């Protein structure tokens, strides 16, 4: 018995030492230490995979989660104006899933990129103010920041330029201009637009960011797919076996008919994170929501990608003569009733507004009660958003 107890204690000590070594290595590479997630490999994979509308490649994602204690996820964002609900709530949901699975999330605050893309009129100080505001929103809405890192591109590139610029130049050297121009979609541009030289260089730098940040998973929207694929192609060029996994989230539709995605330059196309209750009600009342039609219906998208994942339920309140109250816990049931006519736009819109307002209230409270945050919001509301 004593020998067995001693052997068990020795095994426990070895496991503790192993965890300490892994934690030290993780710290040395600038990521959060490994955690006991309490999840099986299958559960980790399912949680991470649920983030993406598309995953390239699924088997690589599973292998990464199996072999690497702390996978590094990355998303870059231009500070370019007020934050809409997709960037605020959907991103919070996705980040919390990935960090729950044991990942470390790096946000690349792309202030230099916003400058290159002429956001905020190309004023870097304004761009950086907007970046600070966006971090405040994520804090307020409920993003778990214990395994999240915000890295400002201007600071990090200046600090480690000797690593960054040779990488950028090598990617540029290995690609034809036509291939780079096909990536201009990532900036909200077209390859036929009259582009500034900085906008042509932008995709090359964004591709370099992935390797510069040592990202294992590119967790951006499907609109960023082309540059993420460029990074995987670059791995082939340099004979690198481990490629970044692309985990692309859905792009939430704009509130107007035919808007494939939201636009910061069109305030009526989206719910913004600090919109008032009245703003939310007014925007959703005017939102495109044809009876029985699912395709291109932004109200149904809000239920599917925002309300149900956040609240776990979509509750309809209506008189008994109109069908009475009803709670939905799956999107499939919502869609079925909507198509069958048992759920009318007149039921959907007020219920959607009520749920969205509950989700946004902590953000509103933060920007009212926190003096620094309030001053920040007041400042950026005065800025003119430029495309």
């Amino acid at each position: 018995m004593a020998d067995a107890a001693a052997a068990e204690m020795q095994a426990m000590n070895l496991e503790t030492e192993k965890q300490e070594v892994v934690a030290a290595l993780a710290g040395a590479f600038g990521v959060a230490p490994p955690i006991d997630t309490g999840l099986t490999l299958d559960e980790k994979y399912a949680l991470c995979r649920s983030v993406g509308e598309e995953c390239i490649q699924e088997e690589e994602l599973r292998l990464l989660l199996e072999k690497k204690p702390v996978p590094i996820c990355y998303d870059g964002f231009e500070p370019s104006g007020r934050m809409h609900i997709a960037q605020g709530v959907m991103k919070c949901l996705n980040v919390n899933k990935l960090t729950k699975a044991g990942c470390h999330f790096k946000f690349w605050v792309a202030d230099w990129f916003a400058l290159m893309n002429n956001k905020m009129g190309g004023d870097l100080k304004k761009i950086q103010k907007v970046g600070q505001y966006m971090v405040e929103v994520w804090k307020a809405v409920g993003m778990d920041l214990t395994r999240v890192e915000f890295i400002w591109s201007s600071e990090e590139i200046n600090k480690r330029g000797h690593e960054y610029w040779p990488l950028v130049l090598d990617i540029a050297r290995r690609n034809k201009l036509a291939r780079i121009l096909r990536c201009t979609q990532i900036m909200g541009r077209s390859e036929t637009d009259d582009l500034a030289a900085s906008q042509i260089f932008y995709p090359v730098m964004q591709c370099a960011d992935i390797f510069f940040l040592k990202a294992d998973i590119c967790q951006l929207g499907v609109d960023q797919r082309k540059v993420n694929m460029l990074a995987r192609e670059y791995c082939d060029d340099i004979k690198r076996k481990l490629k970044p996994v692309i985990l692309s989230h859905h792009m939430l539709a704009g509130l107007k008919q035919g808007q494939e995605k939201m636009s910061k330059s069109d305030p009526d196309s989206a719910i913004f994170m600090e919109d008032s209750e009245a703003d939310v009600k007014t925007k959703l009342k005017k939102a495109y929501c044809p009876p029985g039609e699912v395709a291109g219906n932004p109200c149904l998208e809000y239920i599917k990608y925002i309300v149900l994942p956040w609240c776990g339920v979509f509750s309809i309140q209506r008189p008994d003569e109109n069908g009475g109250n009803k709670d939905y816990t799956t999107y499939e049931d919502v869609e079925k009733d909507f198509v069958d006519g048992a759920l009318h736009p007149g039921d959907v819109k007020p219920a959607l507004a009520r749920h969205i307002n509950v989700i946004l209230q902590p953000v509103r409270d933060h920007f009212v009660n926190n003096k620094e945050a309030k001053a920040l919001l007041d400042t950026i509301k005065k800025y003119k958003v430029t495309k």
Side-chain angles (χ1 to χ4, degrees):
M1 290 291 288
D3 290 344
E8 185 178 354
M9 181 62 72
Q10 185 178 14
M12 289 174 63
N13 289 338
L14 284 171
E15 183 61 29
T16 300
E17 289 176 10
K18 179 183 174 183
Q19 290 176 358
E20 289 174 350
V21 169
V22 172
L25 287 171
F29 285 100
V31 297
I35 56 170
D36 180 6
T37 62
L39 302 174
T40 65
L41 177 59
D42 286 343
E43 289 169 335
K44 283 184 183 179
Y45 172 79
L47 192 59
C48 293
R49 183 63 185 86
S50 70
V51 166
E53 186 170 74
E54 178 184 55
C55 178
I56 304 172
Q57 299 282 349
E58 291 183 335
E59 61 271 21
E60 293 175 16
L61 174 61
R62 186 178 180 86
L63 187 64
L64 173 68
L65 295 169
E66 180 182 4
K67 299 296 185 183
K68 189 166 184 180
V70 186
I72 297 174
C73 305
Y74 131 87
D75 184 9
F77 66 92
E78 285 185 0
S80 56
R82 294 169 63 203
M83 185 185 287
H84 55 56
I85 198 167
Q87 194 171 22
V89 177
M90 277 182 66
K91 178 52 66 176
C92 179
L93 285 163
N94 290 342
V95 169
N96 286 354
K97 285 180 180 180
L98 291 165
T99 55
K100 184 180 179 182
C103 298
H104 178 92
F105 205 101
K106 292 185 177 182
F107 273 110
W108 187 237
V109 189
D111 50 354
W112 268 5
F113 292 76
L115 175 65
M116 288 192 293
N117 203 15
N118 197 39
K119 295 302 173 70
M120 310 313 295
D123 188 322
L124 187 60
K125 288 184 178 179
K126 288 182 178 179
I127 289 166
Q128 290 173 340
K129 280 284 185 186
V130 175
Q132 293 166 18
Y133 146 82
M134 296 175 89
V135 174
E136 287 296 318
V137 172
W138 279 318
K139 286 179 184 176
V141 78
M143 184 179 286
D144 181 359
L145 298 177
T146 53
R147 303 177 67 79
V148 172
E149 185 178 4
F150 293 98
I151 306 169
W152 292 77
S153 67
S154 57
E155 293 178 4
E156 198 69 12
I157 293 171
N158 277 335
K159 191 191 307 178
R160 296 166 52 205
H162 62 289
E163 297 175 50
Y164 188 76
W165 293 115
L167 182 57
V168 171
L169 293 175
D170 193 49
I171 293 168
R173 183 179 64 84
R174 292 173 184 270
N175 285 279
K176 302 296 185 187
L177 180 59
R179 176 66 183 91
I180 300 304
L181 287 174
R182 289 202 301 273
C183 293
T184 52
Q185 172 191 353
I186 65 174
M187 303 177 288
R189 311 290 176 182
S190 162
E191 56 190 289
T192 59
D193 287 352
D194 185 17
L195 300 171
S198 60
Q199 291 169 323
I200 296 172
F201 216 49
Y202 186 120
V204 180
M205 290 175 64
Q206 183 169 326
C207 180
D209 295 341
I210 296 165
F211 304 98
F212 185 61
L213 297 171
K214 298 180 171 58
D216 302 302
I217 298 172
C218 300
Q219 205 294 280
L220 298 91
V222 292
D223 61 334
Q224 304 295 301
R225 185 183 192 277
K226 289 183 179 179
V227 77
N228 291 332
M229 288 303 297
L230 181 67
R232 289 179 63 89
E233 292 167 13
Y234 179 65
C235 289
D236 292 331
D237 290 340
I238 62 173
K239 306 296 188 290
R240 171 174 161 162
K241 291 183 178 180
L242 294 178
K243 300 179 181 180
V245 173
I246 303 172
L247 198 56
S248 304
H249 62 252
H250 177 77
M251 300 298 292
L252 205 62
L255 292 175
K256 297 180 178 179
Q257 183 177 2
Q259 286 185 321
E260 292 185 0
K261 66 176 190 175
M262 300 174 176
S263 170
K264 291 181 181 179
S265 59
D266 181 1
D268 289 330
S269 74
I271 303 296
F272 290 90
M273 291 299 291
E274 72 297 319
D275 272 349
S276 69
E277 286 192 38
D279 288 337
V280 172
K281 290 176 182 177
T282 299
K283 289 181 180 183
L284 290 176
K285 188 174 182 179
K286 295 189 295 183
Y288 181 66
C289 189
E293 290 188 25
V294 174
N297 189 323
C299 292
L300 294 188
E301 287 215 347
Y302 269 53
I303 296 168
K304 181 177 182 179
Y305 292 102
I306 300 288
V307 174
L308 282 170
W310 192 276
C311 303
V313 65
F314 179 62
S315 299
I316 296 292
Q317 296 176 359
R318 59 192 172 188
D320 290 341
E321 58 267 26
N322 292 336
N325 297 344
K326 186 167 183 179
D327 291 342
Y328 294 92
T329 56
T330 69
Y331 172 73
E332 290 73 20
D333 289 342
V334 174
E335 185 177 300
K336 182 180 184 304
D337 276 6
F338 191 79
V339 171
D340 292 345
L343 188 60
H344 189 269
D347 305 323
V348 169
K349 289 184 175 185
L352 182 55
R354 189 175 68 255
H355 286 85
I356 294 295
N357 276 322
V358 169
I359 295 169
L360 298 186
Q361 194 56 48
V363 180
R364 296 188 193 112
D365 292 342
H366 180 67
F367 282 100
V368 168
N369 300 326
N370 183 294
K371 289 183 180 179
E372 290 79 10
K374 184 178 185 302
L376 202 54
L377 179 59
D378 290 342
T379 299
I380 70 151
K381 278 186 172 180
K382 297 172 186 173
Y383 294 162
K384 182 181 178 181
V385 175
T386 54
K387 292 185 178 182

